[in-house]
Structure formats: C-alpha cells, structure tokens
Amino acid sequence: MKVAGRTTAITPFYAMEVLKAANERAAQGNNVLHMEVGEPAGGAPAAVLQAAKEALENGQGLGYTEALGVPALRQAISDHYKTTGNLDVDPGHVVVTTGSSGGFLLAFLAAFDAGDRVALASPGYPAYRNIMAALGIEAVDLASDIGDRFQPTPALLDAAIEQGGKLAGLLIASPANPTGTMLDHDALKALVDYCRARDIRIISDEVYHGITYGAPAETIVALDDQAIAVNSFSKYFAMTGWRLGWMVLPDDLVRPIERLAQNLFISPPTLSQLAAVAAFDAEPELDAKVAAYARNREMLLRELPKVGFDKLAPADGAFYIFADVRHLTNDSADFCKRMLAETGVAATPGIDFDPNRGHAYIRFSFAGAYDDMVKAVACLKDWMK
Ligand SMILES: Cc1ncc(COP(=O)(O)O)c(C=O)c1O
C-alpha cells in the first residue's frame, strides 16, 4: 500500500532513540544517568494536581470545550502577561493548544502556504523543520554558530534571501533548544525591524520563558503585533504530559486558527485546561524548580570543562548545555552510543538539531536531579581519561 512521500522527509528524534537505549540498559540492571531528555523533574505543581482532582470530583463533566480554550484559562494567560511584563493582551487573542506542538502546527498552517520559505536557526529544535516538511513548507536553515550565539541575525537572513529568494517567515526561539542561548532586547528588536520591513511573519517559540539564569526572556508580544508567540505548560510549569500550550495571535490569524483548531483538534484537553488555571498561582514551587536547574547548571559549567568538554554554548536559559566535541569525535551519534554503553551517561547527539553540522556537538540536559549530575560528571571523568 502507499505510504505518503511527505513522511520520508521526517527525521527520527534521536533523543528518543537514546532514551530507548538507556531504558533497555536500565532494564538489564545497569546504571543510567539521564541527561538526554528535556523534561522537568517532579511533575506538575501541587495546586494543579488539586485543581484536577476537584474538577474530577465535582463532576464538571469533561466534555469538549471551545476550540480556542476555556475562557477562564485564556483570561488567566492574559493576566500572566500583565503580571510578568505589564502587557495588555486581549484574551480573545489567546489560543489554548494541545502542547506548543499543536500550536506550531496551527501557526504554520495558518501563516504559510506549501512552498513558502521559512527561516530558522540551525542548530534548532527538530520538530520545527519536521512539521514544516510535513506541510510542504521549506525550512531555510540559517547556519548559526557560537559567534552569533546560535541565533538568527539580519546578516544570516540577508544571505538566505540572496541565495533562495523571499522569506515568508522567521522562527525564533529564546531561550533556544539545544543551545540555551537567548536573544537580548537589541538582537530581538533588530530581527523584528528587519522582518516588519520585509513582511516576514515572526513565530517566536517562548516555551522556555521563566527558565533563565540572568536577564529574563523578552516576549515578542511586547514588540510585534504581527508576530505569533507560542508558549507551553510543559517546561516552566512542568506539565509535559498534560499536553497544553498557548499562543498569542495577531488579529488577522484568530479566525483562521479557530477554524483550523475546530477541525483538527475540536478542543485542547479539558481536564488539563481546568487544572492549568491554578498553575499561575504556583510560582514559588515553580521557581524552586528553576533554582534547582540553576544549581545543576552552575555545577556542570564548572565541572564539564575539567573533564574535557570545554567548548560550551552560553546556556543563558532552558536546561541544556550544548558542547562542541569536534576535538573528541567526528561522529557524535557514535560518541553518545559509546558514552551510554561505557558510562551509563545518556546525552543527545547534535545531529538531532543540525543534520549537517551536528556530528560535532552533543547536548546535555540538566533538568534532572543534582546528585545524578554529580555522578555523571564522575563517570565521565574516568571515561575521558
Ligand atoms: C524548543 C521547544 N519547543 C517546543 C517543544 C514542544 O513542547 P510541548 O509540545 O510539550 O509544548 C519543545 C519540547 O521539548 C521544545 O524543546
């Protein structure tokens, strides 16, 4: 039988393959120190669990909701922008989605046609280009490096336009996965000005907002009313499996996205929506998680160079350290496989994030427990000798 041609362009997510190998190793009774997946430890805050329990016990009935989300959650998200950035966001422009992943699908479908060119930094989160590939949108890699903090720049955009013609969109992520690097205000403003002058729609992945170690991340909502901001309950709010995210949309995309959402998803998960309203009151608990990531980060940035991983991206936010390992290997997938087999430390090869240059990089996630990170460094120290 036929299998659609578009599926051949979709690459596997190697982090999940490493996770599978790590779980197999653990099932055989061997030690595993997980530094491969970007998942917050500990799960959803207590207030969210309590709200979910109450929603179930009160027999609220968990039927479908409005396609764009329950009004109470859209209002709570709008209030969150007021509290965190003194921004007025119309709750009518807030759209609740099935994870930010559902948001990206809706955003790309609503903003771009098949054949459109959309630029994004490489290395980057692989689902962006894989969702684009599934939709026939051309992902235009901006080959960024440590010099531009692995972020898009007007010069990289100029080169992309010169080489391949007009761009319909630019995807940015700050903090970014896998590098953890951020765009400061001036860099973000320069991209907004560049794109506004050329009718390029910005989609801003803000799923790691709230997890930063210096200056807080700036939302595109403050700078560009034509951009799409995509956010999630998965990372700062530690609710990965609840499958809930949101977008703040420009006026012209609200109705198109509502029509798409009605048909593609009917509604985001109801129980998750009812519970997520309480997430915004859980700041102390969530900030304690960020403090734990900060402790892991500080230890790893100090210790990894001592064991031989000494070319590290700045890690301004998120919970990743992106290490240049070209002095150790020219095949990061094989390197990660051997590292897991010989030390139990699971990390992700850079090819997940940059198919062309990722063979020279690996990504360590430090979302896990501090003691595991300390053990991982000790194992790597022996191994690297
Ligand atoms: C940069 C980035 N964006 C989006 C996502 C998708 O997350 P979710 O669909 O759980 O919101 C992830 C998940 O790891 C990510 O790292």
Side-chain angles (χ1 to χ4, degrees), residues 6-258:
R6 69 171 70 84
T7 61
T8 57
I10 314 291
T11 54
F13 196 2
Y14 292 101
M16 302 315 286
E17 313 252 316
V18 176
L19 177 65
K20 196 162 81 180
N23 287 342
E24 277 164 16
R25 183 185 153 89
Q28 288 157 12
N30 296 310
N31 74 315
V32 173
L33 297 160
H34 289 283
M35 296 182 77
E36 78 282 35
V37 282
E39 185 158 47
V48 168
L49 298 178
Q50 184 57 32
K53 220 166 126 197
E54 281 166 21
L56 286 172
E57 284 170 0
N58 293 348
Q60 266 172 285
L62 297 174
Y64 296 133
T65 70
E66 297 89 325
L68 298 187
V70 293
L73 183 56
R74 297 172 75 189
Q75 182 65 54
I77 293 167
S78 161
D79 294 346
H80 177 63
Y81 284 93
K82 188 73 185 169
T83 323
T84 54
N86 197 25
L87 292 167
D88 292 312
V89 172
D90 177 356
H93 286 200
V94 174
V95 169
V96 182
T97 57
T98 304
S100 67
S101 305
F104 285 111
L105 178 63
L106 290 169
F108 295 164
L109 277 169
F112 309 122
D113 286 311
D116 279 349
R117 302 175 78 241
V118 176
L120 72 179
S122 185
Y125 178 59
Y128 307 139
R129 63 181 137 74
N130 282 327
I131 299 172
M132 288 181 201
L135 301 178
I137 295 165
E138 186 187 342
V140 178
D141 278 340
L142 305 173
S144 62
D145 57 31
I146 190 85
D148 32 57
R149 301 175 82 80
F150 295 106
Q151 291 284 354
T153 60
L156 287 168
L157 289 166
D158 272 342
I161 291 170
E162 199 170 307
Q163 213 173 12
K166 192 174 161 25
L167 294 170
L170 168 66
L171 192 140
I172 57 173
S174 168
N177 176 8
T179 58
T181 64
M182 289 169 64
L183 291 160
D184 65 18
H185 174 80
D186 289 349
L188 188 58
K189 182 78 172 57
L191 291 173
V192 168
D193 292 346
Y194 184 99
C195 290
R196 285 303 287 267
R198 293 164 182 79
D199 269 343
I200 298 171
R201 177 93 71 181
I202 293 182
I203 299 186
S204 174
D205 182 342
E206 306 191 345
V207 308
Y208 289 104
H209 281 207
I211 307 177
T212 53
Y213 308 106
E218 192 167 3
T219 175
I220 197 76
V221 172
L223 291 177
D224 184 358
D225 64 4
Q226 294 301 303
I228 302 173
V230 184
N231 211 319
S232 177
F233 286 94
S234 292
K235 305 298 176 177
Y236 174 72
F237 297 97
M239 294 171 61
T240 42
W242 299 68
R243 306 310 304 129
L244 214 58
W246 77 84
M247 294 190 286
V248 178
L249 297 178
D251 198 41
D252 59 347
L253 289 180
V254 176
R255 273 298 287 160
I257 283 194
E258 184 168 28

Side-chain angles (χ1 to χ4, degrees), residues 234-305:
S234 292
K235 305 298 176 177
Y236 174 72
F237 297 97
M239 294 171 61
T240 42
W242 299 68
R243 306 310 304 129
L244 214 58
W246 77 84
M247 294 190 286
V248 178
L249 297 178
D251 198 41
D252 59 347
L253 289 180
V254 176
R255 273 298 287 160
I257 283 194
E258 184 168 28
R259 292 195 301 269
L260 284 163
Q262 287 166 343
N263 285 285
L264 290 181
F265 297 111
I266 302 189
S267 66
T270 303
L271 180 61
S272 303
Q273 291 190 67
L274 299 176
V277 177
F280 297 102
D281 298 327
E283 221 174 72
E285 189 180 340
L286 296 168
D287 287 346
K289 287 181 192 284
V290 179
Y293 307 143
R295 184 168 173 240
N296 294 349
R297 170 186 178 272
E298 192 263 328
M299 186 276 292
L300 288 172
L301 288 179
R302 189 181 62 239
E303 299 300 327
L304 283 176

